[in-house]
Amino acid sequence: MNTDAPTPAPAIAILTPAPEADEARRRGLRRMRTLAVSLLALAAVVYVLTLGQDGFWGFVNAGAEASMVGAIADWFAVTALFKHPLGIPVPHTALIPKRKDELGRGLQEFVGENFLQEDIIRERVAHASISARVGTWLGEPTNARRVVDEFVDVAAIGLAKVRDEHVSDFVTQALVPRFREEPIAPLAGTLLTEVVRDDLHHGLVDLGLEELHRWLVKNPETFTEVLSARAPWWTPSRLNEVVTTRVHLEAIRWLEDVREDPEHQAREALDSMLAQLAQDLLLDPATQERAERLKERLLDHQQVSATSVSLWNALRRALLTSMRDPNGAVRERLLAELSAFADRLGEDVELRDRLDHTAADVAVFVVDRYGTEITAVITHTIERWDGHEAARKIELHVGRDLQFIRINGTIVGGLVGVLIHTVAVLSGH
């Protein structure tokens, strides 16, 4: 015996989402059953009381007889859906417990063929006017604030769950290998060419000059100590002091000249050097090779991962601090953008049409690609149901309405019985 063979999934009972609603349905079903049985009993009593009589009572007797036949036939038909009538295993009874799987597959096919169709989906999406409704809803400040709050809360939770090892693994296993494969020289050369062409580096140069000038002014001792430490041992200390002080003053003056003069030779030399470097990175194999070696050294450095984690933690702390502040810049910016988007949706008909068309395209794509999996949920769910429990639940939901079949069968049967008796009397039989 193979003990490793997979066992079938156990059948499960259908969960009741609202016991109070089920109890109300149960009471309604009992009332309708009582009414249907009462009509059958009434027909039986009338039949017995008028049995063997002629004239008017003969018509009544024929109608009562046909009412009983109709009531019993329809009782059998309704009961046979859910169980064996009177517990007798008559063929083709207890259809739902026996054939629930086939019914599930039929329902799946019905939904797929009649609801998940492109024309129907596009029509419903267009009729729903999703973008207009979204714009109207977001136009309410309370709703826009709610969206921002929910987004920020989810984003904060997500940021808090990203651990340092996740960032480190992402850098070392995803980014670093990708950077190794990508030549750095063409990218750096192209970027540097555009920076020099648009003078984007001038602001950075001005900032560097300003900071360097401020540092030299505030740290003359450090500057002179560095120069003195590199002076020959045999030079007199007084001479070293005079020279280093003079060099410090000249360095400050030179930086001031460069800072104040946009056309200074040093600036032009820097521009020329950067332009030449950009060209070499694009065209000179030797420069490209040096750039690749520099890239490899940087990527091989053990500090890459630690620096990446530090930068990420700094960014995360800044974002979390701003997001947790009810009046922070992140929340206010998101709220402003969301409100502006809501205004555009209300005013721009073309934008609404594009968004609705996109929503329809997305819905059609999802249905085309995953429609079978979506409708298969019906079959898979029904297959897991216990047959008898499923029958009881379904009967609880639709049984009350099915009792009208029995009631109508009793009434229509009686009328047909009277009609048949009338025909028989008129024909002399």
Side-chain angles (χ1 to χ4, degrees):
M1 180 176 180
N2 184 9
T3 58
D4 297 331
T7 57
I12 62 172
I14 308 170
L15 299 179
T16 303
E20 299 81 4
D22 273 0
E23 184 58 33
R25 296 188 187 100
R26 195 172 288 110
R27 288 195 300 268
L29 176 59
R30 282 198 297 266
R31 285 196 299 269
M32 296 306 299
R33 279 178 173 171
T34 300
L35 177 58
V37 171
S38 299
L39 290 176
L40 173 59
L42 177 62
V45 170
V46 171
Y47 173 76
V48 172
L49 293 177
T50 59
L51 186 63
Q53 298 188 27
D54 297 326
F56 171 78
W57 295 111
F59 286 92
V60 174
N61 181 266
E65 180 180 11
S67 291
M68 289 190 298
V69 173
I72 293 173
D74 287 336
W75 164 81
F76 184 92
V78 171
T79 303
L81 290 172
F82 306 103
K83 56 188 175 182
H84 296 301
L86 301 178
I88 302 173
V90 179
H92 302 294
T93 58
L95 296 178
I96 290 178
K98 289 181 179 179
R99 304 187 60 186
K100 64 179 181 64
D101 294 347
E102 291 84 348
L103 294 173
R105 285 191 288 272
L107 181 60
Q108 173 185 338
E109 294 174 359
F110 174 78
V111 172
E113 294 173 359
N114 293 277
F115 294 94
L116 301 184
Q117 298 295 322
E118 180 175 350
D119 293 342
I120 297 175
I121 293 172
R122 291 191 180 278
E123 179 184 355
R124 295 310 303 167
V125 172
H127 181 73
S129 301
I130 296 175
S131 60
R133 294 186 179 185
V134 170
T136 301
W137 190 81
L138 290 178
E140 295 292 331
T142 303
N143 296 333
R145 175 69 66 176
R146 178 182 174 185
V147 171
V148 171
D149 291 342
E150 291 293 333
F151 173 80
V152 168
D153 289 344
V154 172
I157 293 172
L159 287 173
K161 289 186 177 296
V162 179
R163 298 194 294 270
D164 291 351
E165 54 267 29
H166 296 159
V167 178
S168 178
D169 291 343
F170 176 73
V171 171
T172 57
Q173 299 177 15
L175 293 184
V176 170
R178 185 69 183 90
F179 288 151
R180 290 188 190 277
E181 297 174 358
E182 187 70 24
I184 192 65
L187 177 62
T190 302
L191 178 62
L192 188 55
T193 299
E194 296 300 324
V195 167
V196 173
R197 178 182 302 164
D198 295 336
D199 295 331
L200 298 179
H201 62 294
H202 286 173
L204 183 61
V205 171
D206 292 339
L207 177 62
L209 291 171
E210 185 66 32
E211 292 299 322
L212 182 57
H213 180 270
R214 182 181 295 110
W215 185 88
L216 287 175
V217 171
K218 292 183 178 181
N219 300 276
E221 297 84 359
T222 304
F223 182 85
T224 55
E225 287 177 3
V226 171
L227 289 183
S228 297
R230 287 162 174 74
W233 61 270
W234 45 266
T235 56
S237 58
R238 179 61 182 169
L239 178 62
N240 285 341
E241 182 180 348
V242 172
V243 171
T244 54
T245 301
R246 184 64 180 179
V247 171
H248 178 256
L249 293 175
E250 290 300 326
I252 292 176
R253 291 172 183 171
W254 183 78
L255 285 175
E256 290 175 348
D257 291 342
V258 177
R259 185 183 60 181
E260 300 299 330
D261 185 5
E263 305 297 331
H264 196 278
Q265 291 182 351
R267 289 179 179 269
E268 294 179 353
L270 178 61
D271 291 346
S272 176
M273 181 190 70
L274 292 177
Q276 184 60 48
L277 177 59
Q279 288 297 108
D280 291 342
L281 286 170
L282 292 173
L283 303 175
D284 182 37
T287 303
Q288 294 173 350
E289 179 64 23
R290 288 196 297 272
E292 290 300 314
R293 288 199 300 268
L294 175 61
K295 180 191 75 173
E296 292 296 331
R297 288 198 298 272
L298 290 175
L299 295 179
D300 290 336
H301 200 284
Q302 60 182 2
Q303 197 64 25
V304 170
S305 177
T307 302
S308 301
V309 172
S310 299
L311 290 174
W312 163 253
N313 285 330
L315 176 62
R316 177 170 58 182
R317 284 194 300 270
L319 286 174
L320 289 175
T321 301
S322 182
M323 287 191 296
R324 287 167 179 166
D325 183 2
N327 299 317
V330 173
R331 287 179 181 266
E332 294 301 324
R333 184 62 179 176
L334 288 174
L335 185 61
E337 293 296 332
L338 203 58
S339 300
F341 178 67
D343 293 339
R344 284 194 60 197
L345 285 177
E347 300 170 358
D348 193 338
V349 177
E350 184 178 352
L351 175 61
R352 293 201 303 269
D353 291 341
R354 288 201 308 271
L355 292 177
D356 288 342
H357 184 75
T358 301
D361 289 340
V362 171
V364 169
F365 171 78
V366 171
V367 168
D368 287 343
R369 192 173 184 86
Y370 304 106
T372 303
E373 287 79 2
I374 294 172
T375 56
V377 173
I378 300 173
T379 301
H380 295 161
T381 303
I382 293 178
E383 285 177 349
R384 298 179 62 198
W385 287 353
D386 174 77
H388 297 289
E389 181 68 11
R392 285 192 293 270
K393 290 296 183 180
I394 295 174
E395 183 179 17
L396 191 62
H397 282 74
V398 302
R400 179 179 180 277
D401 295 327
L402 291 178
Q403 301 310 308
F404 283 103
I405 297 177
R406 297 174 59 184
I407 296 171
N408 292 335
T410 304
I411 297 173
V412 174
L415 296 175
V416 172
V418 172
L419 179 61
I420 294 175
H421 186 71
T422 301
V423 173
V425 170
L426 293 177
S427 62
H429 294 287

